[in-house]
């Protein structure tokens, strides 16, 4: 994990910034890859986009914990709105 530091970056003429190499390497951001930009009250959060495989793995782990030890299978997610599940867990839309 990278220590919490502040780095000042220049914004280019098209609104672009360069993410320093140390951060790209630490967070697995590769050339041509995608990032997620999330607005908050304090500013923007830039996160690496997770692969579908990693997202499915995390959802299955979460479902496994929620099922109190019962292993989750991918087929069990059929018919479940993952958006609703996510919103329920994180309290979105309340």
């Amino acid at each position: 994990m990278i220590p919490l530091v502040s780095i000042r970056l220049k914004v280019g003429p098209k609104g672009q910034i360069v993410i320093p190499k140390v951060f790209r390497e630490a967070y697995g951001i590769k050339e041509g890859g995608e990032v997620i930009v999330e607005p908050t009250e304090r500013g923007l959060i830039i996160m690496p986009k997770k692969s579908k495989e990693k997202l499915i793995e995390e959802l299955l782990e979460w479902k496994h914990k929620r099922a109190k030890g019962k292993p989750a299978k991918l087929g069990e997610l059929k018919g479940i709105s993952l958006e609703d599940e996510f919103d329920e867990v994180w309290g979105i839309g309340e």
Side-chain angles (χ1 to χ4, degrees):
M1 182 58 105
I2 297 294
L4 298 176
V5 296
S6 295
I7 294 180
R8 186 178 4 200
L9 303 173
K10 280 209 175 206
V11 178
K14 294 183 180 181
Q16 298 170 323
I17 60 169
V18 175
I19 301 170
K21 182 179 180 181
V22 65
F23 293 132
R24 293 192 317 266
E25 288 177 348
Y27 293 101
I29 299 171
K30 301 197 181 334
E31 181 180 347
E34 295 182 351
V35 295
I36 304 294
V37 177
E38 182 178 310
T40 70
E41 289 181 14
R42 295 195 61 210
L44 298 174
I45 297 174
I46 300 172
M47 302 173 278
K49 182 179 174 189
K50 294 180 182 176
S51 69
K52 290 177 188 176
E53 293 79 14
K54 181 69 175 165
L55 185 56
I56 288 171
E57 177 185 322
E58 288 178 3
L59 285 170
L60 290 174
E61 285 175 16
W62 170 78
K63 185 159 175 57
H64 176 72
K65 288 178 187 174
R66 192 166 176 203
K68 298 180 181 147
K70 178 185 166 201
K73 295 185 175 111
L74 190 55
E76 292 177 343
L77 296 176
K78 185 177 180 182
I80 294 175
S81 169
L82 296 179
E83 287 182 19
D84 290 344
E85 292 284 329
F86 182 84
D87 291 351
E88 179 183 320
V89 169
W90 296 102
I92 298 171
E94 293 180 352

